[in-house]
Amino acid sequence: MPFLGQDWRSPGWRWVKTEDGWKRSEPFSHALEDGNNQLNDISHTVIITGDDENEEVYNTEDCEFAAKKRKKDHFRNNTDSQCFYREKWIYVHKESTKERHGYCTLGEAFNRLDFSSAIQDIRRFNYVVKLLQLIAKSQLTSLSGAAQKNYFNILDKIVQKVMEDQYNPRLIKDLLQDLSSTLCILIRGVGKSVLVGNINIWICRLETILLWQQQLKNLQMNKQVNNGLTLSDLPLHMLNNILYRFSDGWDIITLGQVTPTLYMLSEDRQLWKKLCQYHFAEKQFCRHLIPSEKGHIDWKLMYFALQKYYPIKEQYGDTLHFCRHCSILFWKDTGHPCTASDPNTCLMPVSPQHFIDLFKF
């Protein structure tokens, strides 16, 4: 007897032969489910008989299995996410073995490591944005179609977070600028590129990026009204200590624009000298000495000059970690199933550039 079902691989409906022909049985109908909840506790078999001597025997475990399968199919059909993973880590393997076929790609790692939740953590926010910026510069076309869609979904959440919290808009502006430049090049040479999807989709994405850039350009910082202690009320030595904690020269310049006192402190030669010594080796800034009019070294100009030639030291509150024993990439807070006797000795922090290099073949 043919059966009806949502999928040709499904078991279909159960049928009972009666005097009037075959009839479909419904042992787990909604009426029985709502009115007789005690069926969940029954472990014996349920027997449904017709008028003749034939009997059809149904086990409650089969009914429960069918119900769970329908719920699972309903979840798969109605979910908005492309992929669902319980683990927040990924095994990094670059070649096929007898135990594992294929290799791990950048797009697979990007989907598995839950960057969508990571941007809600202020310790990981800058790390994820820097990673997205590196992907935008050189690795965007190496992502799969699902990973590219996930990339723009995460980018949308980042922009909305910045618009709401007004947190580090300069960093996002640099990311969108690099991404728009890359897309302009790819769209113009669409015949030579490897863009996944219709060209109209990418034009729409580029228009969305331009809209985000305009929104960030018009972003107005909310002025907080507070009658308590403010930054200007702190003593000079405390303000100076705050400036010495900054690792980005642009942050020092931005803070110096708040008050005349902070501007005076932000122009301190010793402050910029310490910043140059933190980011660059002595051999590097000895090659690019920039004397001032008074004959002294202009450490502020030297910092921005060295920044053009050498990469600055990156600093993040939290990063991805790589286990050298298990070859697993993961967020340290979530952990991973490590088999080493002392897992802490096998951990290695992974910078955004190192993350990209892990998946270059």
Side-chain angles (χ1 to χ4, degrees):
M1 180 68 187
F3 61 86
L4 301 176
Q6 295 180 350
D7 196 322
W8 61 272
R9 295 166 295 185
S10 66
W13 300 102
R14 292 187 179 271
W15 297 80
V16 179
K17 185 177 182 181
T18 65
E19 294 181 352
D20 298 330
W22 288 90
K23 290 185 177 181
R24 191 178 69 191
S25 63
E26 298 181 358
F28 208 69
S29 63
H30 294 288
L32 292 175
E33 183 180 3
D34 296 335
N36 301 307
N37 293 328
Q38 65 270 21
L39 287 177
N40 296 329
D41 301 328
I42 297 177
S43 58
H44 57 78
T45 58
V46 179
I47 303 177
I48 298 179
T49 60
D51 295 336
D52 56 0
E53 297 179 353
N54 294 331
E55 295 180 348
E56 188 70 13
V57 180
Y58 301 90
N59 193 294
T60 53
E61 294 181 357
D62 296 336
C63 298
E64 292 176 359
F65 176 80
K68 290 180 180 179
K69 186 179 186 307
R70 285 196 294 270
K71 291 180 180 180
K72 186 182 294 186
D73 293 340
H74 178 75
F75 171 78
R76 290 176 177 175
N77 294 334
N78 292 278
T79 183
D80 295 331
S81 59
Q82 291 292 324
C83 303
F84 179 78
Y85 300 101
R86 289 186 63 182
E87 299 85 4
K88 305 302 180 184
W89 50 266
I90 186 169
Y91 178 82
V92 180
H93 52 107
K94 296 187 176 182
E95 58 184 8
S96 298
T97 62
K98 293 182 179 179
E99 294 80 12
R100 293 180 179 271
H101 297 282
Y103 54 89
C104 181
T105 63
L106 177 62
E108 184 181 358
F110 190 81
N111 285 338
R112 289 281 296 274
L113 291 173
D114 196 21
F115 291 109
S116 182
S117 299
I119 61 175
Q120 304 302 327
D121 190 337
I122 193 172
R123 300 172 304 163
R124 301 173 180 174
F125 183 83
N126 291 358
Y127 182 90
V128 177
V129 172
K130 182 63 177 179
L131 178 59
L132 264 63
Q133 187 174 13
L134 292 176
I135 292 177
K137 288 182 178 180
S138 60
Q139 301 295 322
L140 186 62
T141 55
S142 65
L143 298 179
S144 63
Q148 288 176 356
K149 186 175 181 180
N150 190 21
Y151 179 95
F152 283 95
N153 288 337
I154 294 174
L155 185 58
D156 183 24
K157 294 180 180 180
I158 290 176
V159 174
Q160 299 306 319
K161 180 178 177 60
V162 173
M163 296 296 295
E164 294 174 2
D165 301 342
Q166 301 174 351
Y167 177 74
N168 209 343
R170 179 174 54 84
L171 190 64
I172 312 304
K173 291 178 181 179
D174 294 340
L175 166 60
L176 294 179
Q177 181 61 39
D178 292 336
L179 182 58
S180 61
S181 301
T182 301
L183 286 186
C184 287
I185 297 173
L186 293 176
I187 290 175
R188 290 172 185 171
V190 64
K192 301 178 181 179
S193 65
V194 286
L195 289 174
V196 179
N198 191 286
I199 184 63
N200 295 325
I201 297 177
W202 289 96
I203 294 176
C204 182
R205 287 173 175 172
L206 181 58
E207 292 175 351
T208 303
I209 293 172
L210 298 177
L211 177 61
W212 287 338
Q213 289 178 317
Q214 187 63 35
Q215 291 176 349
L216 292 173
K217 184 178 180 181
N218 299 332
L219 179 63
Q220 297 293 332
M221 295 295 179
N222 296 330
K223 186 176 181 180
Q224 296 182 355
V225 179
N226 190 355
N227 297 325
L229 188 67
T230 62
L231 187 64
S232 303
D233 298 327
L234 297 177
L236 290 178
H237 72 278
M238 294 186 66
L239 293 174
N240 200 38
N241 287 335
I242 292 174
L243 287 169
Y244 270 82
R245 296 296 187 273
F246 283 27
S247 61
D248 193 320
W250 284 110
D251 291 336
I252 296 176
I253 293 177
T254 302
L255 185 59
Q257 297 173 351
V258 177
T259 63
T261 303
L262 288 171
Y263 176 77
M264 178 191 67
L265 295 175
S266 66
E267 294 295 321
D268 183 22
R269 291 179 58 252
Q270 191 67 20
L271 171 65
W272 290 97
K273 180 180 179 180
K274 292 289 185 181
L275 196 63
C276 289
Q277 292 174 343
Y278 173 77
H279 286 289
F280 310 106
E282 186 176 356
K283 294 181 179 179
Q284 294 174 340
F285 58 75
C286 285
R287 298 174 184 173
H288 304 275
L289 292 177
I290 304 176
S292 62
E293 296 178 357
K294 297 181 180 180
H296 302 292
I297 298 175
D298 194 333
W299 293 102
K300 182 179 179 180
L301 291 178
M302 180 177 290
Y303 170 81
F304 290 104
L306 292 172
Q307 197 176 19
K308 298 179 181 179
Y309 296 101
Y310 310 104
I312 63 176
K313 186 183 296 184
E314 298 177 354
Q315 193 176 42
Y316 304 101
D318 190 14
T319 65
L320 287 170
H321 283 70
F322 181 74
C323 180
R324 293 186 293 267
H325 179 78
C326 306
S327 297
I328 288 179
L329 193 64
F330 64 101
W331 291 107
K332 191 174 182 180
D333 290 348
T334 59
H336 75 289
C338 187
T339 58
S341 57
D342 189 3
N344 292 329
T345 60
C346 306
L347 302 186
M348 177 181 65
V350 178
S351 66
Q353 184 59 55
H354 188 196
F355 179 89
I356 300 294
D357 296 338
L358 280 175
F359 302 97
K360 287 183 178 179
F361 304 105

